[in-house]
Amino acid sequence: MNDQRKVEVDPLNISFARAMEVVTWAGIAILLVFGLIYMFGAPSFVDMQQAVEHWHEPAGDFWESVSDTSVQGYGWFLTRLTKMDAISMVGICVLGLAPLAAILAALARSLRSRAYLLIFLVLTLEFLFAIVRPLIMGGGGE
Amino acid sequence: MRRSWRVVTMLSIFLAVTAATFVFAKAGYAQEAGTAAQDGSSSIPWWLWPFILFAFTFVIGIIAPLSGVGGGVLLVPLSTAFLPFSIDFIRGAGLVMALTSALSSAPQFIRKGLANIRVMAPLVCVSMITSIIGGVVGLWITNAFPTGKYYITMALGAVLLVIFVVMLTSKRVEFPEVDKQDKMSASLGLAGSWYEPTLDKVMSYRITRLPVGIIFFAVVGFIAGMFGLGAGSANVPVLNLIMGAPIKVAVATSMTVITVNDAAAAWIYLSQGAVIPLIVVPSVIGITIGARIGAKLAVKAKPAFVKYLVMAIMLLAAVLNIVKGMRGLEIF
């Protein structure tokens, strides 16, 4: 790349991007590897044929029909980590944590700037609240 | 290398469009009194759905990074019409898909200097709070004033229509000129540069009116939180028209905003079981491949093309919101 095309990207941005990329690929790998194993017939929490028969039902009814389980919070898949589809769900959790990892990486880079340190600290707290919010407040809004 | 990318892209688009055409032709069943979509029966064998989802999401994956939207604005209405899944699973898959497309493309945009975390951070900091408040108020309004959300949906559609007209008539959308930065933007160092291949030179930009941008993001966050509306289509015009970000920077920075907002929202869907691997896995494969191609195309695309794509998405989102609101109010 010649000098005319060279762009200086600030280190805070690069740290954010690197952390996001690593965690995203980890999440996608877990989601896809275990998801595909599940789709090829490995032991699962939800039988595929049953899933197809009931996937037109609202989420609550679907889980009652396919597993006789009332779904609320994260325990429904975190307590079944021997099942391939449940492990695949962990991949989505990892994807959900990717921006948090990126924010923490940016926070570590912004120790000299009081303004950004404060902004990233607030963002971290907000994100942690977003994770526990469904457990405290249920599923209202997004 | 560039040629092989082009061939792969063209082939993939061809395959995806062929598959999508096949699906839509077959999926006339969903229109047949809506019965199949309601009871889950379908003339399409179940194992074909993952391939259909792959093709569907692949195309959306290419479009999303080019236009700065998560993809939910395209996926949810089309899926509701043609696919047999419950709206809960469509929205769950749409959110995971939008999140994955944003996560796959944002790091590439950041490395090229197109997306700027220094711009994103203060905006998201405020919009996340207002979106949480919106979620609480939304619950209250849904109980106390059930038709209220339809008026707001229509109002959002009308606002997007106005933005569409402003973008259509505005002359400096591709490269807005910022003569002077406000104090807050200057002190936070809201500036950057990227290499623009269509001009073969490094372009610099400065962001301005951060306080006004924060207010707009707060309002957008509140509405998004209140009614679960996607906000990607509203981010780009605020960054571009109000804060002076060049259109490509606005689109790329919007993708980083979507990573944070959608990741935060994903936990709600997970906690309610609105995400199932059988639907999500093929969607994520499609969107991941599509978004990587889309992000590469977005870097090389002409700013004017990006502008027209953003405007087309905006018009689509405006019409869909107005129709949705009118249907909710049983106007037609």
Side-chain angles (χ1 to χ4, degrees):
Chain A
M1 186 183 277
N2 63 32
D3 282 350
Q4 207 188 350
R5 298 179 181 187
K6 219 171 194 174
V7 176
E8 288 287 331
V9 179
D10 104 59
L12 187 148
N13 275 288
I14 294 293
S15 299
F16 185 96
R18 199 173 293 152
M20 179 173 275
E21 205 160 45
V22 170
V23 181
T24 297
W25 282 116
I28 289 176
I30 296 170
L31 175 67
L32 296 189
V33 169
F34 291 99
L36 288 172
I37 294 174
Y38 158 66
M39 288 169 83
F40 280 101
S44 60
F45 173 32
V46 179
D47 174 68
M48 264 184 295
Q49 197 55 49
Q50 265 195 310
V52 173
E53 281 166 19
H54 295 280
W55 63 14
H56 62 284
E57 296 170 6
D61 298 346
F62 171 87
W63 289 106
E64 295 238 332
S65 304
V66 300
S67 66
D68 212 13
T69 314
S70 173
V71 169
Q72 187 63 45
Y74 309 122
W76 63 275
F77 64 93
L78 288 176
T79 52
R80 293 178 172 88
L81 292 180
T82 51
K83 309 292 184 189
M84 294 301 127
D85 46 347
I87 303 176
S88 173
M89 303 295 285
V90 175
I92 299 172
C93 292
V94 176
L95 285 176
L97 289 171
L100 180 63
I103 291 166
L104 289 173
L107 190 144
R109 273 277 178 183
S110 57
L111 294 176
R112 286 183 191 168
S113 162
R114 207 177 287 173
Y116 277 106
L117 188 65
L118 184 68
I119 288 171
F120 286 122
L121 264 176
V122 173
L123 266 179
T124 305
L125 291 175
E126 286 175 352
F127 207 93
L128 290 173
F129 180 69
I131 296 172
V132 297
R133 180 163 62 126
L135 306 176
I136 305 167
M137 298 165 68
E142 283 166 66
Chain B
M1 185 67 187
R2 186 178 288 182
R3 195 169 182 180
S4 60
W5 254 112
R6 217 174 279 169
V7 172
V8 170
T9 308
M10 293 306 291
L11 263 177
S12 309
I13 292 172
F14 174 74
L15 283 173
V17 170
T18 310
T21 310
F22 168 74
V23 174
F24 291 156
K26 287 281 272 181
Y29 81 95
Q31 299 295 324
E32 289 163 14
T35 49
Q38 296 301 315
D39 64 16
S41 65
S42 160
S43 56
I44 300 174
W46 75 267
W47 51 265
L48 202 55
W49 285 109
F51 293 100
I52 292 164
L53 278 167
F54 168 79
F56 202 53
T57 52
F58 174 79
V59 176
I60 293 174
I62 293 175
I63 297 170
L66 275 164
S67 57
V69 299
V73 67
L74 301 170
L75 179 91
V76 174
L78 290 174
S79 303
T80 311
F82 295 112
L83 304 180
F85 321 125
S86 148
I87 185 71
D88 289 352
F89 297 124
I90 290 173
R91 290 184 70 191
L95 189 83
V96 175
M97 216 187 75
L99 173 64
T100 313
S101 83
L103 288 172
S104 304
S105 54
Q108 292 189 62
F109 286 142
I110 293 168
R111 285 203 177 90
K112 300 273 182 192
L114 278 167
N116 195 335
I117 300 312
R118 288 182 187 272
V119 179
M120 175 276 274
L123 298 172
V124 173
C125 206
V126 175
S127 70
M128 269 185 89
I129 294 175
T130 56
S131 117
I132 291 168
I133 298 169
V136 177
V137 176
L139 272 181
W140 175 75
I141 286 197
T142 311
N143 290 327
F145 184 44
T147 54
K149 66 177 178 180
Y150 299 118
Y151 288 104
I152 297 283
T153 307
M154 280 169 61
L156 185 76
V159 170
L160 288 174
L161 261 186
V162 171
I163 295 170
F164 170 80
V165 174
V166 171
M167 286 187 88
L168 191 67
T169 50
S170 178
K171 286 178 183 167
R172 301 295 308 169
V173 170
E174 288 98 326
F175 305 105
E177 278 172 19
V178 175
D179 298 326
K180 202 181 164 202
Q181 276 186 301
D182 66 285
K183 258 189 193 169
M184 201 193 272
S185 304
S187 65
L188 288 175
L190 303 189
S193 59
W194 85 101
Y195 169 68
E196 178 51 61
T198 57
L199 302 173
D200 193 25
K201 67 175 184 180
V202 173
M203 303 292 293
S204 297
Y205 67 89
R206 293 194 302 173
I207 299 295
T208 190
R209 291 195 281 271
L210 179 62
V212 184
I214 286 175
I215 293 170
F216 272 89
F217 265 76
V219 173
V220 170
F222 183 79
I223 293 172
M226 207 165 169
F227 300 115
L229 302 169
S233 51
N235 296 339
V236 179
V238 175
L239 285 160
N240 178 242
L241 298 174
I242 294 167
M243 300 176 69
I247 188 77
K248 287 173 91 167
V249 173
V251 162
T253 303
S254 168
M255 289 308 271
T256 63
V257 173
I258 290 169
T259 62
V260 182
N261 286 343
D262 282 4
W267 295 96
I268 292 169
Y269 284 85
L270 265 173
S271 74
Q272 294 192 325
V275 182
I276 53 172
L278 197 54
I279 296 173
V280 167
V281 170
S283 305
V284 166
I285 298 175
I287 203 88
T288 305
I289 300 172
R292 288 193 78 78
I293 295 170
K296 281 185 193 297
L297 292 176
V299 173
K300 292 175 186 167
K302 287 187 175 171
F305 171 75
V306 176
K307 172 186 148 181
Y308 290 124
L309 191 61
V310 168
M311 283 168 58
I313 302 273
M314 198 102 33
L315 187 62
L316 176 71
V319 172
L320 289 174
N321 277 317
I322 292 171
V323 169
K324 196 173 162 186
M326 289 171 93
R327 280 208 178 142
L329 293 171
E330 294 177 352
I331 294 173
F332 78 89

